Amino acid sequence: MDRPSLELRTRRLVLRSFTNADAAALQVIAGERRIADTTISVPHPFTMADAIRWIEKAQRGLIDGTQYGFAIALPTPARLIGYAALHEVDREHAGAEVSFWIGAEFEGQGFVTEAAARVISFAFDEIGLNRLCAFHMVRNPGSGRVLEKLGFRQEGYLRHRVRKWGTFEDVLAWSLLRGDREAG
Ligand SMILES: CC(C)(COP(=O)(O)OP(=O)(O)OC[C@H]1O[C@@H](n2cnc3c(N)ncnc32)[C@H](O)[C@@H]1OP(=O)(O)O)[C@@H](O)C(=O)NCCC(=O)NCCS
């Protein structure tokens, strides 16, 4: 079967589907402890087998339409720098969850906001979703700031929603509706 592929562009970035050739770079970036520290789905350590599984899952998600996982890449020279995704795509209710991370070297330059904004327009305008949600640990305010810049509204404080490194953590829940953009 042909590998499904998608490519979106922003001013500085290419958002594209993963290929097996990304495994080594993915292992390095996703292997940063700081990424595992504030996410739930990134194992630590992140082995080459994890990288291959991650890529296969992203490819399957594109085939069945349940997940759109984009590699965030710089165009020239081409370099994988992070990840932005729509997960849990729910056609019945036209919703999905947004998630993202970026390598330490590239933090604080607006890259995740730029990438996620494009993923959001893809979600609303190209696959017809109505509601996006996102979650982050309370101790990760940088992620909340990204969501705020993207127009998300905070809608809940979830006590002990996740367990990280053996400790229960409170989580903030956010959402963005297609209509919020038109309104705002
Ligand atoms: C959170 C993360 C995705 C942000 O990526 P980024 O590319 O640096 O984000 P941007 O540069 O687009 O925007 C970051 C914003 O957060 C702000 N910020 C960063 N750390 C902050 C903190 N501790 N408190 C408050 N704001 C903070 C920045 O100042 C910036 O806001 P500004 O543009 O108003 O100055 C990135 O740090 C990351 O990958 N962290 C580890 C994994 C993770 O937590 N992923 C999200 C899981 S929910």
PDB file of all heavy atoms in Angstrom, residues 14-41:
ATOM      1  N   VAL A  14       7.672  23.625   7.459  1.00  0.00           N
ATOM      2  CA  VAL A  14       6.946  22.596   6.709  1.00  0.00           C
ATOM      3  C   VAL A  14       6.364  21.651   7.751  1.00  0.00           C
ATOM      4  O   VAL A  14       7.063  21.222   8.666  1.00  0.00           O
ATOM      5  CB  VAL A  14       7.903  21.801   5.794  1.00  0.00           C
ATOM      6  CG1 VAL A  14       7.129  20.714   5.046  1.00  0.00           C
ATOM      7  CG2 VAL A  14       8.611  22.723   4.823  1.00  0.00           C
ATOM      8  N   LEU A  15       5.082  21.353   7.608  1.00  0.00           N
ATOM      9  CA  LEU A  15       4.441  20.344   8.466  1.00  0.00           C
ATOM     10  C   LEU A  15       4.112  19.187   7.546  1.00  0.00           C
ATOM     11  O   LEU A  15       3.333  19.344   6.613  1.00  0.00           O
ATOM     12  CB  LEU A  15       3.153  20.888   9.093  1.00  0.00           C
ATOM     13  CG  LEU A  15       3.269  22.213   9.810  1.00  0.00           C
ATOM     14  CD1 LEU A  15       1.916  22.638  10.376  1.00  0.00           C
ATOM     15  CD2 LEU A  15       4.276  22.114  10.933  1.00  0.00           C
ATOM     16  N   ARG A  16       4.712  18.068   7.821  1.00  0.00           N
ATOM     17  CA  ARG A  16       4.557  16.958   6.869  1.00  0.00           C
ATOM     18  C   ARG A  16       4.397  15.649   7.610  1.00  0.00           C
ATOM     19  O   ARG A  16       4.719  15.540   8.794  1.00  0.00           O
ATOM     20  CB  ARG A  16       5.767  16.908   5.931  1.00  0.00           C
ATOM     21  CG  ARG A  16       7.070  16.776   6.688  1.00  0.00           C
ATOM     22  CD  ARG A  16       8.211  16.321   5.815  1.00  0.00           C
ATOM     23  NE  ARG A  16       9.441  16.232   6.577  1.00  0.00           N
ATOM     24  CZ  ARG A  16       9.759  15.224   7.380  1.00  0.00           C
ATOM     25  NH1 ARG A  16       8.942  14.199   7.532  1.00  0.00           N
ATOM     26  NH2 ARG A  16      10.912  15.233   8.037  1.00  0.00           N
ATOM     27  N   SER A  17       3.883  14.659   6.888  1.00  0.00           N
ATOM     28  CA  SER A  17       3.760  13.351   7.512  1.00  0.00           C
ATOM     29  C   SER A  17       5.149  12.749   7.723  1.00  0.00           C
ATOM     30  O   SER A  17       6.107  13.115   7.037  1.00  0.00           O
ATOM     31  CB  SER A  17       2.877  12.434   6.675  1.00  0.00           C
ATOM     32  OG  SER A  17       2.961  12.764   5.331  1.00  0.00           O
ATOM     33  N   PHE A  18       5.228  11.843   8.691  1.00  0.00           N
ATOM     34  CA  PHE A  18       6.504  11.190   9.003  1.00  0.00           C
ATOM     35  C   PHE A  18       6.813  10.104   7.987  1.00  0.00           C
ATOM     36  O   PHE A  18       5.915   9.469   7.447  1.00  0.00           O
ATOM     37  CB  PHE A  18       6.421  10.532  10.386  1.00  0.00           C
ATOM     38  CG  PHE A  18       6.560  11.498  11.523  1.00  0.00           C
ATOM     39  CD1 PHE A  18       5.445  12.083  12.096  1.00  0.00           C
ATOM     40  CD2 PHE A  18       7.819  11.834  12.013  1.00  0.00           C
ATOM     41  CE1 PHE A  18       5.567  12.979  13.145  1.00  0.00           C
ATOM     42  CE2 PHE A  18       7.950  12.726  13.067  1.00  0.00           C
ATOM     43  CZ  PHE A  18       6.821  13.299  13.637  1.00  0.00           C
ATOM     44  N   THR A  19       8.117   9.906   7.766  1.00  0.00           N
ATOM     45  CA  THR A  19       8.548   8.743   6.992  1.00  0.00           C
ATOM     46  C   THR A  19       9.563   7.983   7.851  1.00  0.00           C
ATOM     47  O   THR A  19      10.077   8.525   8.842  1.00  0.00           O
ATOM     48  CB  THR A  19       9.245   9.143   5.668  1.00  0.00           C
ATOM     49  OG1 THR A  19      10.536   9.681   5.995  1.00  0.00           O
ATOM     50  CG2 THR A  19       8.445  10.171   4.902  1.00  0.00           C
ATOM     51  N   ASN A  20       9.867   6.775   7.433  1.00  0.00           N
ATOM     52  CA  ASN A  20      10.816   5.972   8.209  1.00  0.00           C
ATOM     53  C   ASN A  20      12.169   6.661   8.345  1.00  0.00           C
ATOM     54  O   ASN A  20      12.887   6.451   9.321  1.00  0.00           O
ATOM     55  CB  ASN A  20      10.984   4.589   7.578  1.00  0.00           C
ATOM     56  CG  ASN A  20       9.683   3.807   7.617  1.00  0.00           C
ATOM     57  OD1 ASN A  20       8.756   4.206   8.310  1.00  0.00           O
ATOM     58  ND2 ASN A  20       9.612   2.721   6.861  1.00  0.00           N
ATOM     59  N   ALA A  21      12.493   7.530   7.387  1.00  0.00           N
ATOM     60  CA  ALA A  21      13.780   8.239   7.425  1.00  0.00           C
ATOM     61  C   ALA A  21      13.863   9.218   8.598  1.00  0.00           C
ATOM     62  O   ALA A  21      14.945   9.718   8.920  1.00  0.00           O
ATOM     63  CB  ALA A  21      13.995   8.983   6.108  1.00  0.00           C
ATOM     64  N   ASP A  22      12.725   9.511   9.251  1.00  0.00           N
ATOM     65  CA  ASP A  22      12.734  10.435  10.394  1.00  0.00           C
ATOM     66  C   ASP A  22      13.118   9.750  11.706  1.00  0.00           C
ATOM     67  O   ASP A  22      13.276  10.427  12.729  1.00  0.00           O
ATOM     68  CB  ASP A  22      11.330  11.039  10.593  1.00  0.00           C
ATOM     69  CG  ASP A  22      10.939  11.982   9.483  1.00  0.00           C
ATOM     70  OD1 ASP A  22      11.771  12.828   9.123  1.00  0.00           O
ATOM     71  OD2 ASP A  22       9.804  11.874   8.989  1.00  0.00           O
ATOM     72  N   ALA A  23      13.229   8.423  11.693  1.00  0.00           N
ATOM     73  CA  ALA A  23      13.343   7.693  12.970  1.00  0.00           C
ATOM     74  C   ALA A  23      14.501   8.188  13.839  1.00  0.00           C
ATOM     75  O   ALA A  23      14.318   8.434  15.039  1.00  0.00           O
ATOM     76  CB  ALA A  23      13.454   6.192  12.707  1.00  0.00           C
ATOM     77  N   ALA A  24      15.689   8.368  13.244  1.00  0.00           N
ATOM     78  CA  ALA A  24      16.850   8.733  14.068  1.00  0.00           C
ATOM     79  C   ALA A  24      16.683  10.121  14.677  1.00  0.00           C
ATOM     80  O   ALA A  24      16.915  10.330  15.880  1.00  0.00           O
ATOM     81  CB  ALA A  24      18.128   8.659  13.236  1.00  0.00           C
ATOM     82  N   ALA A  25      16.239  11.097  13.858  1.00  0.00           N
ATOM     83  CA  ALA A  25      16.053  12.464  14.380  1.00  0.00           C
ATOM     84  C   ALA A  25      14.917  12.502  15.399  1.00  0.00           C
ATOM     85  O   ALA A  25      14.998  13.206  16.417  1.00  0.00           O
ATOM     86  CB  ALA A  25      15.766  13.419  13.224  1.00  0.00           C
ATOM     87  N   LEU A  26      13.881  11.728  15.132  1.00  0.00           N
ATOM     88  CA  LEU A  26      12.756  11.672  16.076  1.00  0.00           C
ATOM     89  C   LEU A  26      13.212  11.129  17.422  1.00  0.00           C
ATOM     90  O   LEU A  26      12.840  11.644  18.478  1.00  0.00           O
ATOM     91  CB  LEU A  26      11.640  10.794  15.486  1.00  0.00           C
ATOM     92  CG  LEU A  26      10.412  10.582  16.367  1.00  0.00           C
ATOM     93  CD1 LEU A  26       9.695  11.903  16.627  1.00  0.00           C
ATOM     94  CD2 LEU A  26       9.448   9.589  15.717  1.00  0.00           C
ATOM     95  N   GLN A  27      14.052  10.105  17.360  1.00  0.00           N
ATOM     96  CA  GLN A  27      14.529   9.516  18.619  1.00  0.00           C
ATOM     97  C   GLN A  27      15.295  10.545  19.449  1.00  0.00           C
ATOM     98  O   GLN A  27      15.135  10.617  20.664  1.00  0.00           O
ATOM     99  CB  GLN A  27      15.412   8.300  18.342  1.00  0.00           C
ATOM    100  CG  GLN A  27      15.739   7.559  19.633  1.00  0.00           C
ATOM    101  CD  GLN A  27      16.924   6.628  19.523  1.00  0.00           C
ATOM    102  OE1 GLN A  27      17.515   6.462  18.456  1.00  0.00           O
ATOM    103  NE2 GLN A  27      17.274   6.016  20.636  1.00  0.00           N
ATOM    104  N   VAL A  28      16.097  11.356  18.773  1.00  0.00           N
ATOM    105  CA  VAL A  28      16.898  12.358  19.501  1.00  0.00           C
ATOM    106  C   VAL A  28      15.980  13.400  20.151  1.00  0.00           C
ATOM    107  O   VAL A  28      16.087  13.694  21.349  1.00  0.00           O
ATOM    108  CB  VAL A  28      17.905  13.047  18.552  1.00  0.00           C
ATOM    109  CG1 VAL A  28      18.568  14.225  19.246  1.00  0.00           C
ATOM    110  CG2 VAL A  28      18.948  12.038  18.078  1.00  0.00           C
ATOM    111  N   ILE A  29      15.051  13.950  19.372  1.00  0.00           N
ATOM    112  CA  ILE A  29      14.223  15.048  19.922  1.00  0.00           C
ATOM    113  C   ILE A  29      13.234  14.513  20.948  1.00  0.00           C
ATOM    114  O   ILE A  29      13.151  15.014  22.077  1.00  0.00           O
ATOM    115  CB  ILE A  29      13.480  15.801  18.800  1.00  0.00           C
ATOM    116  CG1 ILE A  29      14.479  16.409  17.833  1.00  0.00           C
ATOM    117  CG2 ILE A  29      12.603  16.901  19.405  1.00  0.00           C
ATOM    118  CD1 ILE A  29      13.845  17.218  16.737  1.00  0.00           C
ATOM    119  N   ALA A  30      12.483  13.488  20.554  1.00  0.00           N
ATOM    120  CA  ALA A  30      11.477  12.953  21.491  1.00  0.00           C
ATOM    121  C   ALA A  30      12.153  12.340  22.716  1.00  0.00           C
ATOM    122  O   ALA A  30      11.524  12.175  23.762  1.00  0.00           O
ATOM    123  CB  ALA A  30      10.607  11.923  20.784  1.00  0.00           C
ATOM    124  N   GLY A  31      13.440  12.027  22.560  1.00  0.00           N
ATOM    125  CA  GLY A  31      14.179  11.446  23.679  1.00  0.00           C
ATOM    126  C   GLY A  31      14.599  12.454  24.733  1.00  0.00           C
ATOM    127  O   GLY A  31      15.104  12.082  25.796  1.00  0.00           O
ATOM    128  N   GLU A  32      14.405  13.764  24.462  1.00  0.00           N
ATOM    129  CA  GLU A  32      14.746  14.767  25.484  1.00  0.00           C
ATOM    130  C   GLU A  32      13.844  14.560  26.700  1.00  0.00           C
ATOM    131  O   GLU A  32      12.622  14.513  26.566  1.00  0.00           O
ATOM    132  CB  GLU A  32      14.532  16.188  24.927  1.00  0.00           C
ATOM    133  CG  GLU A  32      15.503  16.570  23.832  1.00  0.00           C
ATOM    134  CD  GLU A  32      15.209  17.970  23.263  1.00  0.00           C
ATOM    135  OE1 GLU A  32      14.402  18.713  23.848  1.00  0.00           O
ATOM    136  OE2 GLU A  32      15.789  18.284  22.217  1.00  0.00           O
ATOM    137  N   ARG A  33      14.462  14.508  27.863  1.00  0.00           N
ATOM    138  CA  ARG A  33      13.673  14.232  29.064  1.00  0.00           C
ATOM    139  C   ARG A  33      12.608  15.299  29.295  1.00  0.00           C
ATOM    140  O   ARG A  33      11.518  15.022  29.776  1.00  0.00           O
ATOM    141  CB  ARG A  33      14.582  14.125  30.299  1.00  0.00           C
ATOM    142  CG  ARG A  33      13.865  13.537  31.496  1.00  0.00           C
ATOM    143  CD  ARG A  33      14.763  13.417  32.710  1.00  0.00           C
ATOM    144  NE  ARG A  33      14.118  12.669  33.774  1.00  0.00           N
ATOM    145  CZ  ARG A  33      13.154  13.127  34.560  1.00  0.00           C
ATOM    146  NH1 ARG A  33      12.693  14.355  34.401  1.00  0.00           N
ATOM    147  NH2 ARG A  33      12.628  12.353  35.502  1.00  0.00           N
ATOM    148  N   ARG A  34      12.905  16.554  28.942  1.00  0.00           N
ATOM    149  CA  ARG A  34      11.959  17.638  29.181  1.00  0.00           C
ATOM    150  C   ARG A  34      10.662  17.437  28.398  1.00  0.00           C
ATOM    151  O   ARG A  34       9.612  17.925  28.805  1.00  0.00           O
ATOM    152  CB  ARG A  34      12.577  19.007  28.841  1.00  0.00           C
ATOM    153  CG  ARG A  34      13.143  19.072  27.447  1.00  0.00           C
ATOM    154  CD  ARG A  34      13.620  20.447  27.056  1.00  0.00           C
ATOM    155  NE  ARG A  34      12.578  21.248  26.441  1.00  0.00           N
ATOM    156  CZ  ARG A  34      12.076  21.030  25.226  1.00  0.00           C
ATOM    157  NH1 ARG A  34      12.503  20.013  24.485  1.00  0.00           N
ATOM    158  NH2 ARG A  34      11.146  21.813  24.739  1.00  0.00           N
ATOM    159  N   ILE A  35      10.738  16.737  27.277  1.00  0.00           N
ATOM    160  CA  ILE A  35       9.506  16.486  26.518  1.00  0.00           C
ATOM    161  C   ILE A  35       8.675  15.419  27.231  1.00  0.00           C
ATOM    162  O   ILE A  35       7.478  15.597  27.461  1.00  0.00           O
ATOM    163  CB  ILE A  35       9.822  16.119  25.057  1.00  0.00           C
ATOM    164  CG1 ILE A  35      10.356  17.378  24.350  1.00  0.00           C
ATOM    165  CG2 ILE A  35       8.577  15.578  24.349  1.00  0.00           C
ATOM    166  CD1 ILE A  35      10.651  17.240  22.894  1.00  0.00           C
ATOM    167  N   ALA A  36       9.313  14.341  27.624  1.00  0.00           N
ATOM    168  CA  ALA A  36       8.571  13.305  28.374  1.00  0.00           C
ATOM    169  C   ALA A  36       8.006  13.885  29.672  1.00  0.00           C
ATOM    170  O   ALA A  36       6.927  13.490  30.125  1.00  0.00           O
ATOM    171  CB  ALA A  36       9.490  12.130  28.677  1.00  0.00           C
ATOM    172  N   ASP A  37       8.719  14.840  30.258  1.00  0.00           N
ATOM    173  CA  ASP A  37       8.325  15.377  31.567  1.00  0.00           C
ATOM    174  C   ASP A  37       6.959  16.046  31.554  1.00  0.00           C
ATOM    175  O   ASP A  37       6.249  16.017  32.556  1.00  0.00           O
ATOM    176  CB  ASP A  37       9.403  16.380  32.033  1.00  0.00           C
ATOM    177  CG  ASP A  37       9.111  16.912  33.412  1.00  0.00           C
ATOM    178  OD1 ASP A  37       8.812  16.089  34.310  1.00  0.00           O
ATOM    179  OD2 ASP A  37       9.157  18.138  33.605  1.00  0.00           O
ATOM    180  N   THR A  38       6.590  16.675  30.424  1.00  0.00           N
ATOM    181  CA  THR A  38       5.315  17.406  30.413  1.00  0.00           C
ATOM    182  C   THR A  38       4.336  16.861  29.367  1.00  0.00           C
ATOM    183  O   THR A  38       3.401  17.552  28.956  1.00  0.00           O
ATOM    184  CB  THR A  38       5.560  18.918  30.151  1.00  0.00           C
ATOM    185  OG1 THR A  38       6.472  19.046  29.058  1.00  0.00           O
ATOM    186  CG2 THR A  38       6.132  19.600  31.380  1.00  0.00           C
ATOM    187  N   THR A  39       4.574  15.622  28.937  1.00  0.00           N
ATOM    188  CA  THR A  39       3.622  14.965  28.036  1.00  0.00           C
ATOM    189  C   THR A  39       3.276  13.605  28.635  1.00  0.00           C
ATOM    190  O   THR A  39       3.955  13.123  29.547  1.00  0.00           O
ATOM    191  CB  THR A  39       4.222  14.762  26.624  1.00  0.00           C
ATOM    192  OG1 THR A  39       5.446  14.041  26.754  1.00  0.00           O
ATOM    193  CG2 THR A  39       4.482  16.071  25.915  1.00  0.00           C
ATOM    194  N   ILE A  40       2.237  12.995  28.065  1.00  0.00           N
ATOM    195  CA  ILE A  40       1.815  11.684  28.564  1.00  0.00           C
ATOM    196  C   ILE A  40       2.161  10.570  27.583  1.00  0.00           C
ATOM    197  O   ILE A  40       2.467   9.456  27.965  1.00  0.00           O
ATOM    198  CB  ILE A  40       0.283  11.708  28.830  1.00  0.00           C
ATOM    199  CG1 ILE A  40      -0.003  12.641  30.008  1.00  0.00           C
ATOM    200  CG2 ILE A  40      -0.264  10.323  29.119  1.00  0.00           C
ATOM    201  CD1 ILE A  40       0.764  12.293  31.264  1.00  0.00           C
ATOM    202  N   SER A  41       2.145  10.912  26.283  1.00  0.00           N
ATOM    203  CA  SER A  41       2.280   9.835  25.302  1.00  0.00           C
ATOM    204  C   SER A  41       3.718   9.580  24.859  1.00  0.00           C
ATOM    205  O   SER A  41       3.958   8.708  24.035  1.00  0.00           O
ATOM    206  CB  SER A  41       1.420  10.167  24.081  1.00  0.00           C
ATOM    207  OG  SER A  41       1.841  11.401  23.563  1.00  0.00           O
TER     208      SER A  41
END
